[in-house]
Amino acid sequence: MKAVLIGPIQQENLALGYLAAYARAKGHEVAVVAYAYRKDLDRTVERALAEQPDLIGLGIAFQNNVDDYVLLVRTLRERGFRGHLTCGGHVGTFCWEELLAELPELDTVVRHDGEETLVEMLEAIARGESPRSIAGLVWREGDRVVKGPVRPAFGDLDALPRPERSPEPYVVGGMTVDFLISARGCVGECSYCSIAAYTSEQRKSYRLRAPEAVADEIAFAYHERGAKVFFVQDDLFVLPGERAAITRMERIKSAIRERGVGDVVFWIKGRPENISLPVAQAAREMGAIHMFLGVENASSKRLKYLGRTHLPIHNDSAIDNCRAAGIVPSFNFMLFDPDCTLDDVGTTLDMADRNLDLPWNVCRTEIYSGTALRERLATEGRLEGNWRSFGYRMRDERAEVMFRILRVSLNERALAIDSLLNRLISLSFARQLHAHFFPSRATSALDEAVTKLGIEARRDTVARLRELRDLVANAPLRDARAMQRFAVEQGLAIGAFDMPLRERTEALWNQLHARGRVQTHRQGNAQVRSRGGFEVAAGS
């Protein structure tokens, strides 16, 4: 059978890549088509229909863009697709009832990991049957919707074929970045996180690949795709338990060296309570130069509310240990949650102020289907919105007002996908790559410029948030017009302040990109000449 899989591919989509590879290994033809934004609708539909597929599957990862996929489903039918139309991902796993109720054009929904489910669906279609009675699938029988049994999690991840990847590489600082999954699931039970909820019904919530299998994939990317930078997308890469974490990273390090892989670096993720100094040192020796830490908040009350298993002291020690090991940590501060107070916000701002040289951003705790926090708010009668986008009002009225002003005034600085603070996290990683692979005086100057720019933006962010907090703490909240005026005035002032910062950000990004391409090309030519027996001079 022939299938088309559609989903966002901004930073690779290994979920679709694994589905495509597994189905191809079972003898089916599969094409992966990108669909990130509504502006891509016509091109996506044309590419999908050109394949003349028997099945089209949509990978819907985020609830906030459900409407884009509703439009895609309807457009595919309007343009003549008569084959089987299904969807999956986190949204499909939790919102299958809503999807099938709203979209009669949709035939089925896949829940949880989809490799085996997809293949069984294609086999049913090949037999001339409508897919049903398949584990992990939800389907229609007349006017009824029937949920099949939960499919057990795919146990042996090493048995999966290597995922299909985009032909166009993702590039940071002029260097090819490949994405990697060494584990699926997480051992955490954070109340706001849909990852834990996604695996809660399955028999194995956390599964590891063998270090040697991970090394095989790294070696392939290094030798065949020229990748020296790897973004590990595991939700939990650093294992709980110091000895286990260190042993696994040592085995990965040894295995990639045995496969002839030279100097490579990693971006990894870690929970603060797991990052001791020996663990951070082992990560650095493996090649990690950047670690995204699940810091979340600096208040012990808020961490407990969010279901975290660490304390504020773990946040500080993890950051200190990363610094000592030569790893740059980054993180998001969840300044707001349904029960936070202005005092809690102030505690986290103090932590942000202590780490202005590190790349971080601020946000609100959002609500996702399937999570304990969603169920809690629903029970308390505080859940707002619907399955497309849930919301809430904070108990503390002043915290609620602060967030409403922030949402207007700091949207482009912090909350938007392409916000300045998010761009600065990417820029910081780019300058790390140059510091590692192309050390020189010119690199040091770029490093200093990026660091200075980040500190300037983050210092101003803390200052404005403190000003806003103090204003809200003392102002009469009934004067809504005054608050609205302040939000707009602050938004305009921050926009004007950010304009030159954004220009500097993009200029540095472009400079690092162009310089990285040149340096990578020089190093590639140097390696060729070296293998040919010619003496090679050190690059600038």
Side-chain angles (χ1 to χ4, degrees), residues 13 29 45 84 101 104 110 112 144 170 180 189 204 230 253 281 283 297 312 316 349 374 380 399 457 459 508 537:
N13 189 324
E29 296 181 44
V45 171
H84 192 90
V110 177
H112 304 293
R144 292 191 310 128
Y170 188 77
L180 179 72
E189 295 183 357
K204 295 181 180 179
F230 293 89
K253 179 184 70 174
Q281 290 170 332
N297 202 282
D316 294 331
L349 289 178
R374 181 208 174 281
E380 294 173 353
R459 178 180 288 124
L508 285 166

Side-chain angles (χ1 to χ4, degrees), residues 60-133:
I60 312 177
F62 307 109
Q63 285 179 247
N64 60 7
N65 68 339
V66 163
D67 283 338
D68 293 340
Y69 282 85
V70 168
L71 180 62
L72 176 60
V73 167
R74 290 174 175 162
T75 304
L76 284 167
R77 291 301 193 198
E78 289 168 1
R79 304 259 180 104
F81 180 65
R82 296 294 175 262
H84 192 90
L85 193 52
T86 190
C87 69
H90 279 254
V91 176
T93 297
F94 300 118
C95 304
W96 51 272
E97 261 185 306
E98 293 90 343
L99 284 164
L100 288 172
E102 179 157 334
L103 289 168
E105 301 91 344
L106 200 62
D107 295 305
T108 58
V109 175
V110 177
R111 303 182 72 230
H112 304 293
D113 294 358
E115 286 89 358
E116 294 172 301
T117 306
L118 173 62
V119 167
E120 291 181 20
M121 292 172 69
L122 291 171
E123 290 171 350
I125 294 171
R127 295 191 300 267
E129 301 172 1
S130 177
R132 59 181 59 190
S133 302

Side-chain angles (χ1 to χ4, degrees), residues 192-211:
Y192 58 90
C193 183
S194 60
I195 296 161
Y198 183 86
T199 58
S200 62
E201 294 182 78
Q202 299 177 292
R203 295 175 188 170
K204 295 181 180 179
S205 61
Y206 185 55
R207 293 150 287 157
L208 289 171
R209 297 176 63 193

Side-chain angles (χ1 to χ4, degrees), residues 335-374:
L335 286 181
F336 302 93
D337 67 57
D339 285 1
C340 74
T341 66
L342 290 183
D343 287 341
D344 296 325
V345 173
T347 298
T348 300
L349 289 178
D350 289 342
M351 181 182 175
D353 204 13
R354 296 195 300 271
N355 295 281
L356 294 177
D357 62 322
L358 297 179
W360 50 253
N361 200 353
V362 297
C363 63
R364 181 181 78 157
T365 303
E366 299 300 338
I367 310 300
Y368 300 103
S369 293
T371 63
L373 186 53
R374 181 208 174 281

